[in-house]
Amino acid sequence: MNESPEARSPIILGVDDLRALPGTTQIARTSREGIRLLEEHRDHRIDELWLDHDLGGDDSIMPIVAVLEEAAFDGRPFDIGMVFVHSANPSGAETMVRVLRRWGYRVRRASA
């Protein structure tokens, strides 16, 4: 169910274990919280999704990338205006960009 942009405030989600990410409407600090956040917004437009690769300890963004990938594979990709990858991990960031673009998501690298 997509609402017109004039009828709602932008939804800007972030997943990052450390950064404050000014401008986000909601932020998750772990991959588990990030998946829950995505599912909460499953049937709504997400204007921006900000993703960091390394989420502390053994946690990474890859479980979230897998959820996005599986949704696209199933023909129901999340409705996301732009995914911003802002990781300081160059190889992790490149993997995220490559996988998400492969599945049709609009992705841009941002400074970490």
Side-chain angles (χ1 to χ4, degrees):
M1 170 172 133
N2 291 336
E3 301 168 342
S4 70
E6 299 82 28
R8 64 168 183 81
S9 298
I11 295 174
I12 303 172
L13 305 179
V15 183
D16 191 305
D17 61 323
L18 299 173
R19 293 176 191 87
L21 300 176
T24 54
T25 51
Q26 289 182 278
I27 191 162
R29 297 297 183 189
T30 66
S31 61
R32 182 176 300 185
E33 289 175 10
I35 290 169
R36 183 184 47 76
L37 198 57
L38 275 179
E39 292 301 331
E40 286 175 11
H41 292 87
R42 182 62 178 112
D43 296 319
H44 302 282
R45 168 110 174 142
I46 299 168
D47 297 286
E48 297 178 11
L49 178 62
W50 289 77
L51 301 176
D52 181 22
H53 185 276
D54 301 315
L55 300 175
D58 292 335
D59 198 10
S60 81
I61 203 71
M62 295 315 289
I64 294 169
V65 171
V67 166
L68 295 167
E69 185 176 23
E70 183 176 337
F73 177 80
D74 290 341
R76 283 192 67 227
F78 282 80
D79 183 8
I80 302 171
M82 180 66 68
V83 178
F84 291 92
V85 173
H86 65 274
S87 179
N89 176 332
S91 62
E94 182 55 37
T95 298
M96 293 164 59
V97 168
R98 186 178 59 252
V99 168
L100 293 173
R101 280 189 181 148
R102 156 63 180 96
W103 290 102
Y105 293 100
R106 294 180 58 220
V107 183
R108 183 181 304 164
R109 284 288 311 265
S111 298

